[in-house]
Amino acid sequence: MPKNNNKILKMNIKIYLAELRWYCAGVHRAIDILNKAIEQFPTPIYVNHEIIHNKYIINYYEKKWIIFWEDLKNIPENSIMIMSAHWVGPEYIKKVKEKNIKYIDASCPLVVKVHNEAKKFLSEWYEIIYIWKKGHQEAEWVKEEDKNKINIISNIEDLNNLSTEGFSSLALLTQTTLSVNETKDLISKITEKYPEIILPKAKDICYATTNRQEAVEKICEKQLDLLIIIGSKNSSNSTKLKEIWEKKWIKSILIDSSEDIFNSPIIPFHKGDEHKKINIWISSWASVPEILVKEVLDFFKNNYNTEIEIVKTIEENIIFPSNLELK
Ligand code: SF4
């Protein structure tokens, strides 16, 4: 663990460590499936997307001959593939089967549930409005069910441009990882425009997203100088946590690992602050392995007078069973 000689070693740091920070049940299941597949099948094993959005995890598995590729052109026939936690659509699966690729479905059951609701509505001749975070694969793949009848929108402008003339029945679905707070204004505009629309069930929203965003409110009760979120920049949920905190005027940074702290002057102190106590909250998104959290804590312990307090927010005990069914 590096020591940062530029730091004032006597500085006192109080770290509040969020207890709710490790893998959600969907990520845990996907990783479990990947580990079992490595034991059971010859490598390379292909994964259709990053199994979870975390650089450390991706590097770790690449060293074990796991190849993360979406483009099927590069994947040889008769290979073994794992479909990652946020689902793949029917067109992709069709192409996989055409190449005789055997696959294991590691999709999160919560994502599959919303996907199945979309299929049910389509079979009953509904048109669907689906709220997504732009660029997220979950929506792209749900849309593969019927590109003409699933309208994906992410803001009021999209809603204003939406024409659903000719369809009497409309249903609303949302991406699992969007919280109630993120969608409530848009949903209220949708119901103004389409009062008859069938609304999504509250339980369609991912519990892990809701819990972590609710924990943010609790965090903001503390007097903080800095918030550190451990998570990769391509994880939309990690960047979302950062945005929420910034809206509450708390300086926050998103780091991949302790190296990022070492390489950048992130601690907000000035000359004369040597005896001041700096309060830092550390949290991570649901796709971050605990070893990265430990490394960041070790960094502080090695460089500062550090006191750590674990803060309980919301307890989670959901488990999704995993199995290695080859399809
Ligand atoms: S964040 Fe939620 S929806 Fe996504 S994998 Fe985890 S539990 Fe499933």
Side-chain angles (χ1 to χ4, degrees), residues 72 75-79 90-103 327:
L72 279 173
I75 302 181
E77 294 200 351
N78 303 311
S79 305
E91 280 179 24
Y92 192 86
I93 293 290
K94 191 167 164 263
K95 288 182 200 151
V96 165
K97 285 183 175 162
E98 280 165 9
K99 288 194 87 170
N100 281 330
I101 293 169
K102 294 280 175 213
Y103 71 92
K327 296 185 180 176

Side-chain angles (χ1 to χ4, degrees), residues 24-286:
C24 60
V27 165
H28 195 275
R29 178 174 180 274
I31 294 286
D32 199 36
I33 286 175
L34 182 55
N35 287 336
K36 285 178 180 164
I38 291 170
E39 278 172 21
Q40 196 157 323
F41 302 111
T43 51
I45 294 172
Y46 296 85
V47 183
N48 68 328
H49 182 62
E50 292 190 345
I51 189 101
I52 55 175
H53 289 141
N54 184 273
K55 221 162 84 177
Y56 178 92
I57 290 288
I58 298 302
N59 290 342
Y60 172 83
Y61 283 108
E62 278 175 346
K63 286 184 195 133
K64 290 180 176 274
W65 269 104
I66 303 301
I67 300 177
F68 300 92
W69 264 341
E70 275 162 51
D71 195 342
L72 279 173
K73 275 191 233 119
N74 300 323
I75 302 181
E77 294 200 351
N78 303 311
S79 305
I80 303 274
M81 246 187 124
I82 293 177
M83 301 303 167
S84 58
H86 279 254
W87 185 255
V88 290
E91 280 179 24
Y92 192 86
I93 293 290
K94 191 167 164 263
K95 288 182 200 151
V96 165
K97 285 183 175 162
E98 280 165 9
K99 288 194 87 170
N100 281 330
I101 293 169
K102 294 280 175 213
Y103 71 92
I104 303 161
D105 189 353
S107 320
C108 173
L110 299 181
V111 178
V112 176
K113 186 170 159 291
V114 174
H115 208 110
N116 286 340
E117 279 172 28
K119 286 201 265 196
K120 182 175 164 288
F121 281 125
L122 291 170
S123 72
E124 292 169 7
W125 300 96
Y126 278 77
E127 183 156 356
I128 294 169
I129 297 178
Y130 183 102
I131 304 177
W132 73 319
K133 188 174 164 78
K134 268 201 167 80
H136 200 283
Q137 275 187 316
E138 191 180 319
E140 305 269 11
W141 284 331
V142 171
K143 200 167 160 57
E144 280 189 11
E145 290 294 345
D146 191 333
K147 289 194 170 66
N148 296 320
K149 290 192 181 172
I150 300 182
N151 307 277
I152 55 177
I153 67 169
S154 63
N155 52 39
I156 308 275
E157 201 188 336
D158 292 346
L159 176 65
N160 292 339
N161 292 332
L162 189 65
S163 162
T164 49
E165 276 172 33
F167 288 92
S168 52
S169 311
L170 257 185
L172 178 64
L173 293 173
T174 67
Q175 190 182 303
T176 46
T177 48
L178 286 173
S179 71
V180 176
N181 276 342
E182 283 174 273
T183 52
K184 68 174 190 257
D185 292 345
L186 186 52
I187 290 182
S188 120
K189 291 283 176 205
I190 292 170
T191 50
E192 255 174 50
K193 186 169 176 180
Y194 304 109
E196 306 293 324
I197 195 165
I198 296 184
L199 294 177
K201 295 173 194 142
K203 52 182 192 285
D204 285 352
I205 292 168
C206 159
Y207 75 95
T209 302
T210 307
N211 287 352
R212 278 153 188 76
Q213 294 191 1
E214 278 178 18
V216 170
E217 302 300 327
K218 195 156 186 167
I219 292 163
C220 293
E221 292 163 11
K222 306 245 177 232
Q223 286 288 315
L224 295 174
D225 298 291
L226 178 70
L227 257 151
I228 297 178
I229 305 139
I230 308 168
S232 289
K233 294 181 182 62
N234 64 344
S235 157
S236 66
N237 280 314
S238 298
T239 48
K240 184 75 208 167
L241 283 187
K242 184 174 183 297
E243 281 164 29
I244 293 173
W245 280 317
E246 278 169 351
K247 276 191 197 141
K248 294 179 184 284
W249 301 103
I250 299 173
K251 180 180 162 75
S252 56
I253 55 161
L254 180 60
I255 58 167
D256 267 307
S257 68
S258 58
E259 292 294 313
D260 289 349
I261 308 180
F262 184 70
N263 292 328
S264 64
I266 57 147
I267 308 295
F269 68 83
H270 308 284
K271 201 163 169 33
D273 276 354
E274 289 85 346
H275 304 293
K276 195 180 157 197
K277 188 184 253 185
I278 301 287
N279 293 321
I280 300 177
W281 184 283
I282 296 184
S283 190
S284 63
W285 181 246

Side-chain angles (χ1 to χ4, degrees), residues 301-315:
K301 285 195 256 178
N302 288 339
N303 287 287
Y304 303 98
N305 293 329
T306 301
E307 185 194 342
I308 299 171
E309 180 183 328
I310 297 191
V311 183
K312 282 188 189 268
T313 47
I314 297 158
E315 265 186 39

